[in-house]
Amino acid sequence: MPPRLARAACAPFALAALAALSACANPASEPAPTPSAATDVVVIEGARVFDGERDLGVVRLVVRDGRIEAVGGDGPLPAGARRVDYGGRYIVPGLVNDHAHLGNTEGTEHGGRYYTRDHVVRDLRQFQAFGVTTVNSLGMNGPAFYEIRDAVRAADPALGAWMLGAGPGIGAPGGAPPAKNMGLAEDAVPRPADAAAAREAVREQARRGVDIIKLWVDDLGGQAPPMAPEVYRAAIDEAHAQGLQVAAHIHDLAPAADLVASGIDVIAHGVRDRPVDAALVEAMRSRGTWYIPTLQIDEANYLYAEQPRLIEEEPALRAALQAPLRARFQDPVWQRRQLEGEAAAKSRAAVRMNLANLRTLHAAGVRIGFGTDAGALPHRVIGFAEHRELELMTQAGFTPEQALRTATRDAAELLGLDDRGLLAPGRRADFVVLDADPLADIRNTRRIRAVWQAGRQVAGPLADFDPDRNAAAR
Ligand SMILES: [Zn+2]
């Protein structure tokens, strides 16, 4: 079994969440939330509930102090309960993104220089508006990561989606993540050259308090030296000794297979160079290795250039695009440039391979997580990418119910977060209220009426979300 995430005492597993959170927060950086003196009980009525596992039909949810107290039942209301009527609507758990990035973009630009608290909170608020209530920032976080994360958790849900992450991650010397392409001018990503340095990098990140270790194992299409097997094996071993899970960026089958054999916990992108073989399928299945396909990552390279009308036709895309990015997507010169040459054809082929491999792995019973790489680059559009990913999963043979289960129950389990992902007694009251049935058409997850996190309505309706105003807010 892969180890649980470390710092369990600082994750909100315990029911005494407020006490645990305030003990872990940095009180100097963020005032603690003021818990209301009176008990806060809300009864959510009238909606049809998908609890993260199955369709429960129309049931009542009782929420007390940020947690689900009861699901179903029709007895008398708890004393002092506030009633909220969502008759005719649909409720699903808040989505959990296992692979995203925070604070890495500004308009059409990206890079480590944008990693500030304001940019991270901007992104977390945009995720939250789109119903993504937990975000794992899987690498390229700046030095302020630890302080920002603790402040976000202490203020939960006021600073947007609840977050965790990998700190900077661990890369290869002169290789992935490509410092220049990713704008890592003062490269904060450690790049160990040997096993001893890999162990030290992991120990240092464990000391600082990362939630997960991230490795990049990719030769970037033969353009760069990949991380050596002895380096990633040492990193995996040391992370497990420190009680941390390890997730690896990959693109190709060969490194994915060797990482799985080396005990990696999470393959954090889909295999896109060739079909997965029976050996990898069996190794992942028997070891319980997680697989995050990130189908949207390659589609984002051509989708907006190819279908500029999506901006008019998709209110959820409009709600996700700040003005500079919207202008870029609507620029015919940019559109033409994106689609000419080999890059777009390669991206299309990568999506086809990724879909086929996901179909194979899912059918074989490999554990599938949910992630998009949103936020790493501007066109990996925060919020829209997640809803598009759900739709792409149905193209790989998932039913809407299976796609939603993956993005809620399973995505939380991947991160070791047993306090969310399901709408069940004792779990966090993180849920999304939809105007139309997501089990009938997965695209209905975009029709967001309201988002609740930690028992409070924090956003909605999505149609009213203004990404420019959100970006300007401080
Ligand atoms: Zn990533």
Side-chain angles (χ1 to χ4, degrees):
M1 284 295 288
R4 283 276 172 205
L5 294 173
R7 317 281 152 187
C10 282
F13 298 152
L15 283 175
L18 269 178
L21 282 171
S22 50
C24 295
N26 175 353
S29 65
E30 186 69 27
T34 358
S36 48
T39 301
D40 180 19
V41 186
V42 187
V43 177
I44 308 287
E45 297 176 302
R48 185 161 178 173
V49 175
F50 173 79
D51 70 353
E53 260 172 14
R54 60 203 174 91
D55 176 12
L56 302 180
V58 175
V59 295
R60 181 169 97 173
L61 298 178
V62 180
V63 174
R64 185 186 295 270
D65 297 333
R67 300 263 164 173
I68 306 278
E69 182 175 78
V71 179
D74 54 6
L77 296 183
R82 183 161 63 89
R83 298 170 69 168
V84 178
D85 181 8
Y86 282 128
R89 306 198 199 278
Y90 301 81
I91 287 179
V92 300
L95 305 183
V96 176
N97 191 327
D98 295 325
H99 185 169
H101 296 276
L102 297 169
N104 205 48
T105 64
E106 169 74 58
T108 59
E109 305 294 314
H110 68 276
R113 63 192 180 282
Y114 299 119
Y115 196 89
T116 64
R117 177 190 154 121
D118 283 346
H119 283 101
V120 171
V121 170
R122 169 204 65 189
D123 291 350
L124 289 170
R125 289 199 167 123
Q126 182 154 331
F127 274 117
Q128 190 182 60
F130 279 80
V132 184
T133 51
T134 298
V135 175
N136 183 33
S137 187
L138 201 54
M140 297 189 301
N141 297 287
F145 163 75
Y146 307 94
E147 191 185 320
I148 296 170
R149 176 196 60 188
D150 293 350
V152 167
R153 292 186 189 177
D156 178 36
L159 297 179
W162 195 95
M163 69 171 280
L164 69 171
I170 297 175
K180 190 153 171 280
N181 294 358
M182 293 314 295
L184 304 171
E186 304 149 49
D187 188 4
V189 178
R191 298 171 186 272
D194 57 32
R199 288 184 184 277
E200 182 44 42
V202 169
R203 280 197 294 268
E204 167 65 12
Q205 293 185 8
R207 263 197 301 276
R208 296 294 313 272
V210 295
D211 301 287
I212 189 168
I213 296 290
K214 161 73 178 281
L215 308 176
W216 279 268
V217 186
D218 187 353
D219 69 0
L220 306 173
Q223 301 299 301
M227 183 182 286
E230 74 191 58
V231 171
Y232 59 69
R233 285 181 198 139
I236 293 167
D237 187 60
E238 185 63 38
H240 289 172
Q242 301 285 337
L244 288 164
Q245 290 199 101
V246 190
H249 162 111
I250 55 95
H251 184 280
D252 296 342
L253 177 65
D258 196 59
L259 283 158
V260 170
S262 304
I264 195 91
D265 304 292
V266 182
I267 295 291
H269 288 296
V271 169
R272 285 158 286 164
D273 65 328
R274 62 188 64 190
V276 291
D277 56 24
L280 178 65
V281 172
E282 180 49 28
M284 293 191 77
R285 205 194 53 71
S286 60
R287 287 173 166 273
T289 315
W290 288 95
Y291 183 85
I292 309 174
T294 63
L295 300 163
Q296 220 270 322
I297 192 172
D298 298 287
E299 189 201 51
N301 293 339
Y302 57 84
L303 178 68
Y304 308 112
E306 185 185 78
Q307 299 183 44
R309 287 179 51 193
L310 276 180
I311 294 179
E312 275 76 52
E313 292 168 358
E314 277 279 5
L317 177 59
R318 219 161 40 239
L321 297 179
Q322 292 171 45
L325 196 54
R326 190 167 61 240
R328 167 176 279 187
F329 287 177
Q330 289 175 320
D331 172 6
V333 176
W334 176 85
Q335 291 163 10
R336 232 179 1 258
R337 215 178 314 129
Q338 288 304 107
L339 297 175
E340 67 193 15
E342 279 186 7
K346 274 188 177 168
S347 295
R348 283 194 186 85
V351 172
R352 281 195 299 274
M353 186 62 74
N354 206 350
L355 286 166
N357 283 336
L358 176 58
R359 185 183 288 271
T360 302
L361 292 162
H362 183 230
V366 169
R367 301 206 285 181
I368 309 296
F370 183 73
T372 54
D373 215 46
L377 295 169
H379 66 280
R380 297 178 190 165
V381 180
I382 287 174
F384 185 72
E386 284 67 33
H387 295 277
R388 186 76 189 168
E389 182 80 11
L390 287 169
E391 183 181 358
L392 289 168
M393 288 168 78
T394 66
Q395 292 179 23
F398 284 62
T399 64
E401 193 163 318
Q402 288 170 334
L404 270 175
R405 202 179 286 143
T406 301
T408 56
R409 182 193 70 180
D410 298 348
E413 192 187 334
L414 182 150
L415 296 170
L417 300 173
D418 57 6
D419 65 343
R420 66 195 74 193
L422 284 173
L423 299 175
R427 302 223 179 195
R428 289 170 58 94
D430 296 347
F431 58 88
V432 189
V433 184
L434 303 170
D435 283 335
D437 184 0
L439 302 184
D441 183 340
I442 195 65
R443 291 172 299 182
N444 288 336
T445 58
R446 300 165 202 184
R447 297 183 56 186
I448 295 173
R449 171 63 36 189
V451 179
W452 289 62
Q453 183 178 313
R456 290 168 202 273
Q457 188 186 341
V458 288
L462 180 58
D464 292 350
F465 181 74
D466 180 338
D468 293 310
R469 203 171 56 209
N470 178 56
R474 288 294 179 263

PDB file of all heavy atoms in Angstrom, residues 99-101 138-140 214 216 249 268-269 297 373 376 380, ligand 1:
ATOM      1  N   HIS A  99      -4.058  17.167 -10.076  1.00  0.00           N
ATOM      2  CA  HIS A  99      -2.894  17.686 -10.806  1.00  0.00           C
ATOM      3  C   HIS A  99      -3.244  19.019 -11.455  1.00  0.00           C
ATOM      4  O   HIS A  99      -3.826  19.064 -12.539  1.00  0.00           O
ATOM      5  CB  HIS A  99      -2.423  16.687 -11.870  1.00  0.00           C
ATOM      6  CG  HIS A  99      -1.165  17.108 -12.576  1.00  0.00           C
ATOM      7  ND1 HIS A  99      -0.455  16.276 -13.394  1.00  0.00           N
ATOM      8  CD2 HIS A  99      -0.478  18.283 -12.571  1.00  0.00           C
ATOM      9  CE1 HIS A  99       0.611  16.913 -13.870  1.00  0.00           C
ATOM     10  NE2 HIS A  99       0.600  18.154 -13.393  1.00  0.00           N
ATOM     11  N   ALA A 100      -2.893  20.084 -10.755  1.00  0.00           N
ATOM     12  CA  ALA A 100      -3.072  21.430 -11.293  1.00  0.00           C
ATOM     13  C   ALA A 100      -1.854  22.246 -10.874  1.00  0.00           C
ATOM     14  O   ALA A 100      -0.921  21.719 -10.256  1.00  0.00           O
ATOM     15  CB  ALA A 100      -4.350  22.046 -10.752  1.00  0.00           C
ATOM     16  N   HIS A 101      -1.868  23.519 -11.231  1.00  0.00           N
ATOM     17  CA  HIS A 101      -0.799  24.429 -10.799  1.00  0.00           C
ATOM     18  C   HIS A 101      -1.428  25.753 -10.420  1.00  0.00           C
ATOM     19  O   HIS A 101      -2.485  26.124 -10.942  1.00  0.00           O
ATOM     20  CB  HIS A 101       0.238  24.601 -11.911  1.00  0.00           C
ATOM     21  CG  HIS A 101       0.945  23.319 -12.223  1.00  0.00           C
ATOM     22  ND1 HIS A 101       2.041  22.883 -11.509  1.00  0.00           N
ATOM     23  CD2 HIS A 101       0.669  22.337 -13.122  1.00  0.00           C
ATOM     24  CE1 HIS A 101       2.421  21.703 -11.973  1.00  0.00           C
ATOM     25  NE2 HIS A 101       1.604  21.341 -12.954  1.00  0.00           N
ATOM     26  N   LEU A 138       0.754  20.632  -8.219  1.00  0.00           N
ATOM     27  CA  LEU A 138       1.753  19.568  -8.357  1.00  0.00           C
ATOM     28  C   LEU A 138       3.063  20.073  -8.949  1.00  0.00           C
ATOM     29  O   LEU A 138       3.461  19.715 -10.058  1.00  0.00           O
ATOM     30  CB  LEU A 138       1.166  18.413  -9.179  1.00  0.00           C
ATOM     31  CG  LEU A 138       1.844  17.040  -9.024  1.00  0.00           C
ATOM     32  CD1 LEU A 138       1.936  16.609  -7.561  1.00  0.00           C
ATOM     33  CD2 LEU A 138       1.092  15.982  -9.818  1.00  0.00           C
ATOM     34  N   GLY A 139       3.741  20.935  -8.164  1.00  0.00           N
ATOM     35  CA  GLY A 139       5.073  21.389  -8.552  1.00  0.00           C
ATOM     36  C   GLY A 139       5.107  22.792  -9.117  1.00  0.00           C
ATOM     37  O   GLY A 139       4.073  23.388  -9.422  1.00  0.00           O
ATOM     38  N   MET A 140       6.327  23.340  -9.227  1.00  0.00           N
ATOM     39  CA  MET A 140       6.576  24.713  -9.679  1.00  0.00           C
ATOM     40  C   MET A 140       5.940  25.738  -8.754  1.00  0.00           C
ATOM     41  O   MET A 140       5.627  26.851  -9.178  1.00  0.00           O
ATOM     42  CB  MET A 140       6.111  24.914 -11.127  1.00  0.00           C
ATOM     43  CG  MET A 140       6.882  24.052 -12.116  1.00  0.00           C
ATOM     44  SD  MET A 140       6.548  24.452 -13.841  1.00  0.00           S
ATOM     45  CE  MET A 140       4.796  24.178 -13.961  1.00  0.00           C
ATOM     46  N   LYS A 214       6.861  15.467  -6.094  1.00  0.00           N
ATOM     47  CA  LYS A 214       6.637  15.461  -7.541  1.00  0.00           C
ATOM     48  C   LYS A 214       7.967  15.297  -8.262  1.00  0.00           C
ATOM     49  O   LYS A 214       8.926  16.001  -7.952  1.00  0.00           O
ATOM     50  CB  LYS A 214       5.991  16.803  -7.949  1.00  0.00           C
ATOM     51  CG  LYS A 214       6.085  17.172  -9.438  1.00  0.00           C
ATOM     52  CD  LYS A 214       5.156  16.344 -10.303  1.00  0.00           C
ATOM     53  CE  LYS A 214       5.229  16.746 -11.771  1.00  0.00           C
ATOM     54  NZ  LYS A 214       4.478  17.947 -12.100  1.00  0.00           N
ATOM     55  N   TRP A 216       9.781  14.932 -12.270  1.00  0.00           N
ATOM     56  CA  TRP A 216       9.602  14.995 -13.726  1.00  0.00           C
ATOM     57  C   TRP A 216      10.520  13.955 -14.358  1.00  0.00           C
ATOM     58  O   TRP A 216      11.748  14.018 -14.157  1.00  0.00           O
ATOM     59  CB  TRP A 216       9.996  16.371 -14.256  1.00  0.00           C
ATOM     60  CG  TRP A 216       8.968  17.441 -14.125  1.00  0.00           C
ATOM     61  CD1 TRP A 216       8.026  17.793 -15.060  1.00  0.00           C
ATOM     62  CD2 TRP A 216       8.778  18.348 -13.023  1.00  0.00           C
ATOM     63  NE1 TRP A 216       7.263  18.849 -14.604  1.00  0.00           N
ATOM     64  CE2 TRP A 216       7.702  19.208 -13.353  1.00  0.00           C
ATOM     65  CE3 TRP A 216       9.402  18.507 -11.791  1.00  0.00           C
ATOM     66  CZ2 TRP A 216       7.251  20.215 -12.511  1.00  0.00           C
ATOM     67  CZ3 TRP A 216       8.952  19.499 -10.937  1.00  0.00           C
ATOM     68  CH2 TRP A 216       7.885  20.341 -11.299  1.00  0.00           C
ATOM     69  N   HIS A 249       5.530  13.212 -13.341  1.00  0.00           N
ATOM     70  CA  HIS A 249       5.243  13.662 -14.706  1.00  0.00           C
ATOM     71  C   HIS A 249       5.919  12.683 -15.664  1.00  0.00           C
ATOM     72  O   HIS A 249       7.110  12.405 -15.510  1.00  0.00           O
ATOM     73  CB  HIS A 249       5.794  15.077 -14.908  1.00  0.00           C
ATOM     74  CG  HIS A 249       5.933  15.480 -16.349  1.00  0.00           C
ATOM     75  ND1 HIS A 249       5.144  16.440 -16.928  1.00  0.00           N
ATOM     76  CD2 HIS A 249       6.775  15.032 -17.338  1.00  0.00           C
ATOM     77  CE1 HIS A 249       5.495  16.567 -18.211  1.00  0.00           C
ATOM     78  NE2 HIS A 249       6.472  15.728 -18.481  1.00  0.00           N
ATOM     79  N   ALA A 268       1.300  10.870 -13.232  1.00  0.00           N
ATOM     80  CA  ALA A 268       0.526  12.116 -13.180  1.00  0.00           C
ATOM     81  C   ALA A 268       0.111  12.678 -14.541  1.00  0.00           C
ATOM     82  O   ALA A 268      -0.465  13.766 -14.616  1.00  0.00           O
ATOM     83  CB  ALA A 268       1.296  13.165 -12.385  1.00  0.00           C
ATOM     84  N   HIS A 269       0.426  11.976 -15.616  1.00  0.00           N
ATOM     85  CA  HIS A 269      -0.086  12.305 -16.956  1.00  0.00           C
ATOM     86  C   HIS A 269      -0.382  10.992 -17.667  1.00  0.00           C
ATOM     87  O   HIS A 269       0.130   9.935 -17.277  1.00  0.00           O
ATOM     88  CB  HIS A 269       0.947  13.058 -17.805  1.00  0.00           C
ATOM     89  CG  HIS A 269       1.204  14.477 -17.399  1.00  0.00           C
ATOM     90  ND1 HIS A 269       0.236  15.452 -17.468  1.00  0.00           N
ATOM     91  CD2 HIS A 269       2.326  15.083 -16.943  1.00  0.00           C
ATOM     92  CE1 HIS A 269       0.763  16.609 -17.066  1.00  0.00           C
ATOM     93  NE2 HIS A 269       2.023  16.413 -16.733  1.00  0.00           N
ATOM     94  N   ILE A 297      -4.826  18.294 -21.524  1.00  0.00           N
ATOM     95  CA  ILE A 297      -3.565  19.038 -21.654  1.00  0.00           C
ATOM     96  C   ILE A 297      -3.168  19.220 -23.122  1.00  0.00           C
ATOM     97  O   ILE A 297      -2.773  20.311 -23.536  1.00  0.00           O
ATOM     98  CB  ILE A 297      -2.457  18.350 -20.828  1.00  0.00           C
ATOM     99  CG1 ILE A 297      -1.239  19.239 -20.700  1.00  0.00           C
ATOM    100  CG2 ILE A 297      -2.084  17.003 -21.397  1.00  0.00           C
ATOM    101  CD1 ILE A 297      -0.199  18.662 -19.731  1.00  0.00           C
ATOM    102  N   ASP A 373      -3.670  19.644 -15.251  1.00  0.00           N
ATOM    103  CA  ASP A 373      -2.529  20.546 -15.443  1.00  0.00           C
ATOM    104  C   ASP A 373      -2.974  21.991 -15.639  1.00  0.00           C
ATOM    105  O   ASP A 373      -2.182  22.840 -16.062  1.00  0.00           O
ATOM    106  CB  ASP A 373      -1.637  20.109 -16.613  1.00  0.00           C
ATOM    107  CG  ASP A 373      -0.164  20.398 -16.340  1.00  0.00           C
ATOM    108  OD1 ASP A 373       0.292  20.084 -15.232  1.00  0.00           O
ATOM    109  OD2 ASP A 373       0.517  20.961 -17.221  1.00  0.00           O
ATOM    110  N   ALA A 376      -0.848  25.662 -15.334  1.00  0.00           N
ATOM    111  CA  ALA A 376       0.584  25.596 -15.647  1.00  0.00           C
ATOM    112  C   ALA A 376       0.924  26.593 -16.742  1.00  0.00           C
ATOM    113  O   ALA A 376       1.989  27.210 -16.735  1.00  0.00           O
ATOM    114  CB  ALA A 376       0.979  24.192 -16.077  1.00  0.00           C
ATOM    115  N   ARG A 380      -4.127  26.384 -20.489  1.00  0.00           N
ATOM    116  CA  ARG A 380      -4.679  25.283 -19.687  1.00  0.00           C
ATOM    117  C   ARG A 380      -5.600  25.958 -18.678  1.00  0.00           C
ATOM    118  O   ARG A 380      -5.214  26.279 -17.551  1.00  0.00           O
ATOM    119  CB  ARG A 380      -3.555  24.477 -19.036  1.00  0.00           C
ATOM    120  CG  ARG A 380      -2.692  23.825 -20.122  1.00  0.00           C
ATOM    121  CD  ARG A 380      -1.521  23.046 -19.575  1.00  0.00           C
ATOM    122  NE  ARG A 380      -0.642  22.677 -20.699  1.00  0.00           N
ATOM    123  CZ  ARG A 380       0.603  22.251 -20.574  1.00  0.00           C
ATOM    124  NH1 ARG A 380       1.122  22.117 -19.369  1.00  0.00           N
ATOM    125  NH2 ARG A 380       1.322  21.946 -21.640  1.00  0.00           N
TER     126      ARG A 380
HETATM  127 ZN    ZN B   1       1.822  19.640 -14.173  1.00  0.00          ZN
END
